[in-house]
């Protein structure tokens, strides 16, 4: 079994299939975005490894299904506790691997990964019920039956957090799982795989296959042995996955990108609005939910911009392991080049870049300066497409109707932020905003009971509470007649 030593722990670099670590001949090189440090070579799987994993998950399925919500819940609760006990290690390795802030991994992200597992285990036991109802003396019993093998494909921006957001409900629902993490961030998935074994999860219930999306991911999504595909990532990849799923009519859920609006109404607390706008640079802008289009009422735009630029120019950019750092590096040289491309093309088109606009030369490496583009052409690429970096655009509006029209004039619909000083005014705007989640005078407040997902090209389906189980389970209605009984 091959492994690497990172942050004081040994992390296997092979897949986890049927309770065994399996190394592939081919490998993928993994480096840290913080300083380019080589972290190790991870196994790079393809159709063969996927086939083994699907078979293992299918064999493990009946026993896992038959354990029921309580039996599964016991193991999942142990797993959640193990994550909690290993928050520090998980935080360290995730920061090394994807460059997001260590302090937010410690305080928010990793405890949340544990909560994702615990919440769905408890929901399956306590909340997943439907009162029987009667039809002319016949009783309808609705149940959520396990569906089989769930294929979970996750991105690099919040690797373990987004994986557990799928793993929790899939396993609690009684499905067995194959996780295909992003090729740039395999570390936390491998460490987590060890925790599933320590928690006593039977072999084959949880499997991980590492490898490129075009090989391991493609083989997984077209496999006839899987019953569900849950994907978080980009729109172009989602289209490929939807086509692969169509071949077997495998149900899919897609959580994709966004170009979310942050609307500052004329009655907004501008200090609050500027603080919320600064938060859109979190994780170096590599967050699908980010409100990257700042739509500001023309009467307050000068005051807002002054406050925003003042805060933005004081942002502490640097090593994500340092406590005072607010914005770290981008994930990968290819991704940095993509961000640079967007901003350079905008510059060539004459965009007014009032802040940042280039890599941080002092820091070098993969650091890109927090950037603000003033009033770009509303039809331009920088205002319409997801950059997935610390790049915000600002536009003004004259009235509520214009604000709403601008906010909805996008092919995405993942999230929106509305900042207003009057409840009725905010409600007037939120009523017809098209977005899966809207935050009013706040950002990123998330509750696992709430639905989460995107409208339009931001996705298909919703996660959270019973919505997750509606996807991972086969929902069944058993109608029992009042007659025909011999007892
Ligand atoms: P990004 O552009 O942010 O890297 P992707 O959507 O390409 O986002 O990647 C998200 C996840 O999808 C990763 O785990 C990646 O390996 C996987 N992936 C990429 N291409 C495919 C594909 N053709 N089939 C299945 N999964 C894929």
């Amino acid at each position: 079994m091959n492994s690497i030593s990172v942050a004081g722990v040994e992390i296997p670099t092979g897949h986890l299939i049927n309770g065994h670590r399996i190394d592939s001949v081919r490998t993928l090189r993994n480096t840290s975005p913080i300083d380019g440090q080589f972290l190790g070579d991870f196994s790079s799987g393809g159709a063969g490894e996927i086939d083994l994993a699907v078979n293992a998950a299918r064999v493990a399925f009946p026993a896992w299904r038959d354990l029921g919500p309580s039996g599964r819940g016991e193991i999942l609760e142990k797993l959640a506790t193990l994550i909690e006990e290993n928050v520090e290690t998980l935080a360290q390795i995730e920061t090394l691997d994807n460059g997001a802030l260590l302090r937010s991994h410690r305080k928010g992200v990793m405890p949340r990964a544990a909560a994702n597992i615990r919440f769905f285990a408890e929901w399956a036991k306590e909340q997943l019920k439907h009162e029987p109802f009667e039809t002319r003396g016949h009783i309808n019993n609705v149940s959520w039956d396990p569906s089989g093998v769930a294929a979970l494909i996750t991105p690099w921006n919040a690797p373990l957090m987004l994986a557990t957001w799928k793993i929790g409900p899939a396993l609690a629902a009684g499905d067995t799982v194959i996780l295909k993490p992003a090729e740039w961030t395999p570390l936390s998935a491998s460490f987590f795989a060890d925790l599933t074994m320590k928690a006593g999860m039977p072999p084959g219930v949880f499997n991980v296959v590492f490898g490129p999306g075009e090989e391991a991911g493609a083989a997984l999504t077209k496999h006839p042995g899987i019953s569900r595909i849950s994907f978080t990532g980009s729109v172009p990849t989602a289209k490929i996955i939807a086509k692969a799923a169509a071949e077997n009519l495998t149900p899919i859920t897609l959580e994709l990108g966004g170009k979310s609006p942050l609307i500052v109404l004329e009655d907004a607390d501008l200090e609050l609005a500027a603080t919320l706008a600064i938060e859109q640079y979190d994780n170096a802008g590599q967050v699908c939910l980010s409100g990257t289009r700042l739509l500001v009422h023309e009467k307050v735009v000068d005051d807002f911009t002054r406050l925003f630029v003042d805060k933005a120019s004081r942002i502490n950019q640097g090593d994500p392991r340092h406590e005072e750092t607010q914005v770290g590096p981008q994930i990968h040289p290819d991704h940095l080049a993509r961000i640079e491309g967007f901003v350079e093309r905008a510059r060539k088109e004459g965009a007014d870049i009032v802040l940042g606009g280039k890599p941080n030369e002092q820091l070098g490496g993969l650091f890109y300066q927090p950037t603000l583009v003033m009033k770009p052409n509303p039809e331009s690429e920088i205002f319409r497409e997801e950059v997935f970096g610390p790049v915000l655009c600002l536009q003004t509006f004259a009235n509520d109707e214009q604000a709403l029209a601008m906010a909805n004039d996008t092919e995405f619909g993942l999230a929106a932020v509305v900042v207003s000083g009057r409840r009725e005014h905010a409600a007037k705007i939120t009523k017809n905003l098209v977005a899966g989640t809207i935050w009013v005078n706040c950002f990123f407040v998330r509750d696992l009971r709430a639905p989460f997902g995107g409208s339009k090209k931001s996705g298909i389906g919703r996660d959270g509470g019973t919505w997750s189980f509606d996807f991972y389970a086969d929902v069944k209605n058993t109608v029992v007649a009042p007659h025909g009984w011999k007892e």
Side-chain angles (χ1 to χ4, degrees):
M1 181 183 86
N2 295 333
S3 67
I4 54 173
S5 182
V6 178
V9 287
E10 276 303 300
I11 299 181
T13 54
H15 320 288
L16 180 77
I17 299 175
N18 206 20
H20 301 291
R21 289 290 178 167
I22 294 180
D23 297 312
S24 294
V25 178
R26 289 182 304 163
T27 54
L28 272 173
R29 193 182 155 78
N30 189 29
T31 54
S32 173
I34 303 174
D35 52 9
Q37 176 198 347
F38 173 65
L39 295 173
D41 287 317
F42 266 73
S43 278
S44 177
E49 290 84 345
I50 289 293
D51 215 34
L52 282 177
V54 174
N55 287 336
R58 284 174 68 88
V59 169
F61 172 66
W64 184 245
R65 176 194 62 200
D66 294 344
L67 267 183
S70 297
R72 293 193 292 268
E74 253 177 58
I75 297 172
L76 290 170
E77 302 264 356
K78 270 190 217 146
L79 177 59
T81 304
L82 282 168
I83 298 174
E84 282 155 3
E85 286 169 5
N86 286 281
V87 159
E88 181 58 27
T89 302
L90 282 164
Q92 297 271 356
I93 62 177
E94 196 86 297
T95 292
L96 268 180
D97 211 8
N98 86 336
L101 300 186
L102 179 60
R103 74 180 142 81
S104 59
H105 280 153
R106 270 187 190 135
K107 289 189 193 133
V109 177
M110 293 308 163
R112 182 58 177 246
N116 284 342
I117 302 290
R118 200 182 293 287
F119 170 87
F120 288 105
E122 281 169 7
W123 191 280
K125 279 192 295 188
E126 312 292 340
Q127 310 275 353
L128 203 57
K129 337 185 155 81
H130 209 301
E131 289 305 314
F133 51 94
E134 198 206 301
T135 310
R136 298 186 304 277
H138 300 63
I139 303 300
N140 295 267
N141 296 294
V142 176
S143 60
W144 284 259
D145 291 4
S147 74
V149 179
L152 312 179
I153 299 179
T154 48
W156 43 260
N157 60 329
L160 192 66
M161 158 68 203
L162 291 172
T164 50
W165 172 237
K166 300 178 190 302
I167 294 165
L171 290 177
D175 291 357
T176 52
V177 161
I178 295 159
L179 173 68
K180 207 302 282 171
E183 39 276 65
W184 290 341
T185 51
L187 292 186
S188 59
S190 184
F191 189 82
F192 174 85
D194 274 352
L195 298 185
T196 64
M197 301 301 287
K198 283 189 190 138
M201 202 161 281
V205 169
F206 177 77
N207 307 273
V208 183
V209 177
F210 300 107
E214 300 75 17
E215 293 178 35
L220 182 57
T221 50
K222 70 175 185 217
H223 203 291
I226 58 169
S227 63
R228 294 289 185 273
I229 299 169
S230 179
F231 169 76
T232 300
S234 64
V235 172
T237 302
K239 290 183 183 174
I240 297 170
I241 290 177
K243 283 184 193 146
E247 199 51 47
N248 300 310
L249 290 178
T250 312
I252 51 174
T253 180
L254 306 172
E255 281 178 35
L256 311 177
K259 194 77 183 176
S260 299
L262 185 153
I263 306 170
V264 182
L265 298 174
E266 80 238 58
D267 53 18
D269 173 341
L270 295 184
E271 184 63 39
L272 172 66
T275 301
L276 291 171
I278 292 290
E279 286 178 28
Q280 312 309 312
Y281 290 133
D282 282 0
N283 205 4
Q286 301 167 140
V287 180
C288 54
L289 295 164
S290 283
T292 48
R293 290 184 300 143
L294 309 177
L295 309 181
V296 185
H297 193 286
E298 60 188 21
K299 276 195 197 143
V300 296
V301 70
D302 290 344
D303 287 343
F304 170 83
T305 308
R306 192 174 30 76
L307 284 169
F308 175 80
V309 171
D310 179 50
K311 285 181 195 296
S313 51
R314 284 185 283 116
I315 284 177
N316 204 326
Q317 189 169 27
D319 191 318
R321 292 166 293 193
H322 297 165
E323 193 63 26
E324 68 280 8
T325 298
Q326 291 167 278
V327 172
Q330 308 308 137
I331 180 75
H332 192 273
D334 293 354
H335 190 60
L336 179 72
R338 185 174 176 272
I339 296 167
E340 281 188 86
F342 268 108
V343 177
E344 282 317 309
R345 288 190 294 278
R347 201 191 305 276
K348 278 201 192 110
E349 282 174 17
D352 182 13
I353 299 166
V354 296
L355 192 81
K358 55 181 184 348
N360 187 324
E361 280 150 13
Q362 249 179 320
L363 293 170
L366 302 181
F367 293 86
Y368 196 89
Q369 293 179 329
T371 295
L372 179 65
V373 184
M374 273 310 247
K375 299 193 187 178
N377 177 347
E379 295 309 319
S380 64
E381 171 197 65
I382 198 117
F383 196 62
R384 297 215 154 252
E385 289 187 27
E386 186 177 43
V387 178
F388 221 58
V391 179
L392 306 182
C393 296
L394 189 152
Q395 281 288 354
T396 55
F397 60 85
N399 53 49
D400 290 350
E401 291 64 37
Q402 217 183 2
L404 196 57
M406 284 172 88
N408 285 338
D409 183 16
T410 165
E411 56 178 15
F412 296 107
L414 190 59
V417 179
V418 177
V419 195
S420 168
R422 287 187 297 125
R423 284 176 201 276
E424 271 169 39
H425 195 186
K428 181 180 162 205
I429 300 291
T430 58
K431 186 166 185 295
N432 289 324
L433 256 184
V434 182
T437 303
I438 303 176
W439 284 288
V440 180
N441 289 346
C442 61
F443 180 56
F444 230 96
V445 178
R446 295 269 302 273
D447 190 311
L448 290 167
R449 291 170 296 184
F452 177 80
S455 303
K456 300 194 271 183
K457 288 221 172 59
S458 289
I460 295 176
R462 295 289 182 272
D463 270 319
T466 301
W467 291 276
S468 293
F469 291 99
D470 287 346
F471 174 70
Y472 289 108
D474 274 329
V475 183
K476 184 168 83 182
N477 187 25
T478 307
V479 186
V480 181
H483 49 250
W485 305 106
K486 291 189 174 162
E487 58 210 23

